[in-house]
Amino acid sequence: MSAPTFAEAVRVWARIGCLSFGGPAGQIALMHREIVEQRKWLDEPDYLNALNFCMLLPGPEAMQLATYAGWRLHGVRGGLAAGLLFVLPGALVVLALTMAYAAFGRLAPVEAAFVGIKAAVLVIVVEALLRIARRALHAAAHWTIAAAAFVGIFLFEAPFPLIVGAAAAIGFALAPQRRADGPAEPWPSPRRTLATLGLWLAVWLVPLGLLWALLGGGHVLAEIGAFFSMLAVVTFGGAYAVLAYMAQAAVETHGWLDAGEMLDGLGLAETTPGPLILVTEFVGYLGAARSGGEASLLRGLAGAAVTLWATFAPCFLWVFAGAPYVQRIARAPRLRAALQGITAAVVGVILNLSLWFGLHVLAPGIQERATGPLRWWTLPPDGIDPVAAVLAAVAAVALLALHQGVLRTLVLCGGLALAWYALQAPG
């Protein structure tokens, strides 16, 4: 591995934050390309161990993976830089589009450009999925775990903690009876872990507690802080695991927006850089802006800020408290085997995310059906979107055949989609 300077790392984290389209699968793929393949800041086992660790945490796994990678390179300041730069570009884009949405409704040219961007991201995701699978699935048991994880989560919506727990147990049971090579890693100091937990709990909760004390528990900003802090604790399995509950609570319980607006917010978050969970910023902005009757820009901005704090401050708590244990666990044979089992399951989970993303890119309006625990999808009346399919083919040629960069491919496909929209626009 070649260690970068802090300034060099910051530039790369900013680049990743600006290009992190496509939800968790796309973001994990992009980081793998940038920091493992191209720059070799982390090697493959370190990256996969980090991914396993972040998949076990509540919250957006890709943002936490960036935070962990930054921490490995430059300690706490590196983790803060990587995590913040992963979120802030997308948060600013979502904020700008949310403000425009609140004022003007949906923006057709923006939606058109993102058709091309999503098509390019789909190819990036598939390329990375294949690469990670080749390097993570070494034994028949790993392939079996990956397949079972995919079937369980894609067809039956099995709880993510159940999948991870089962994979870890299988890996632990199949562990070879031998010592790890090299000297044993010391366990981190429990006192230091408790100090880290106390510090970041205070960073997360003290500002929200002050808000509650100053405004009262019934104020919309206090309600937003409490609601999204609760979500931050229970979002195991990433954003997809909690979106349905969040959407129902925001619409039916709190009345912050209606169902159509919630779907618009989900679409906006899926097509902008940064974690998919940034849809919470859309919800917080609209809920606060409308709370006093007439919509208020200042209230909306305050709602977005509180939402972002409650959603992402806990991520630093989980990573900084748990990161020192990752290397120690990876050096223990049985625990390492458990992590390898989780890695195999994660491949199945990423395949699920990739297929879910691909279905929605290539067939907008696809409908989910269910019979008992089994679920499947039916194509919309128009079938596959030919524009999205052609743009995905263009991206595949650019990335896989011509070996163009991610940014150039995203710009190419976004520009082609916008040009197609301009040609089809009346007048």
Side-chain angles (χ1 to χ4, degrees), residues 60 63 83 87 91 232 275 277-278 280 307-317:
M63 178 265 186
V87 170
I277 202 68
L278 279 174
T280 58
T307 301
L308 289 174
W309 188 270
T311 300
F312 293 106
C315 296
F316 295 106
L317 165 65

Side-chain angles (χ1 to χ4, degrees), residues 109-411:
V110 174
E111 292 181 345
F114 279 122
V115 170
I117 291 172
K118 288 190 290 185
V121 169
L122 177 58
V123 178
I124 296 170
V125 167
V126 172
E127 179 191 28
L129 172 65
L130 295 174
R131 189 179 301 112
I132 291 173
R134 284 196 299 268
R135 295 172 179 173
L137 306 181
H138 303 296
H142 295 153
W143 283 94
T144 302
I145 292 171
F150 170 74
V151 170
I153 199 166
F154 188 79
L155 292 179
F156 297 96
E157 292 190 288
F160 184 79
L162 176 63
I163 290 174
V164 168
I170 293 171
F172 188 88
L174 297 178
Q177 297 296 319
R178 59 181 177 82
R179 295 178 61 85
D181 298 329
E185 294 278 343
W187 285 103
S189 162
R191 180 177 298 177
R192 178 171 294 182
T193 300
L194 290 174
T196 301
L197 285 170
L199 172 62
W200 287 97
L201 271 172
V203 169
W204 169 25
L205 296 177
V206 167
L208 298 178
L210 291 175
L211 195 66
W212 186 287
L214 291 173
L215 301 178
H219 194 279
V220 66
L221 293 180
E223 291 179 346
I224 287 172
F227 177 70
F228 288 111
S229 290
M230 181 271 294
L231 284 186
V233 176
V234 301
T235 51
F236 290 95
Y240 294 102
V242 78
L243 286 179
Y245 170 73
M246 184 200 71
Q248 183 176 12
V251 172
E252 298 180 4
T253 304
H254 296 284
W256 289 331
L257 67 176
D258 62 37
E261 290 171 330
M262 188 70 240
L263 291 174
D264 289 342
L266 290 173
L268 183 150
E270 286 170 358
T271 53
T272 51
L276 179 59
I277 202 68
L278 279 174
V279 68
T280 58
E281 182 183 14
F282 178 88
V283 174
Y285 181 98
L286 292 184
R290 297 168 175 175
S291 62
E294 185 176 350
S296 164
L297 173 63
L298 289 178
R299 283 199 305 272
L301 292 173
V306 172
T307 301
L308 289 174
W309 188 270
T311 300
F312 293 106
C315 296
F316 295 106
L317 165 65
W318 315 137
V319 173
F320 291 151
Y325 292 86
V326 174
Q327 290 297 102
R328 179 62 179 84
I329 291 172
R331 298 290 299 169
R334 282 193 175 275
L335 295 178
R336 183 170 60 186
L339 283 178
Q340 289 172 342
I342 295 171
T343 299
V346 165
V347 172
V349 171
I350 295 176
L351 175 58
N352 165 68
L353 296 178
S354 304
L355 188 54
W356 185 93
F357 182 66
L359 289 172
H360 287 79
V361 169
L362 298 177
I366 193 168
Q367 297 293 315
E368 181 179 334
R369 308 295 184 190
T371 299
L374 181 66
R375 63 172 180 157
W376 70 95
W377 284 259
T378 56
L379 291 175
D382 296 337
I384 299 295
D385 181 354
V387 175
V390 168
L391 290 170
V394 169
V397 171
L399 280 168
L400 305 180
L402 302 179
H403 304 291
Q404 297 298 303
V406 171
L407 178 58
R408 185 172 296 180
T409 304
L410 289 170
V411 171

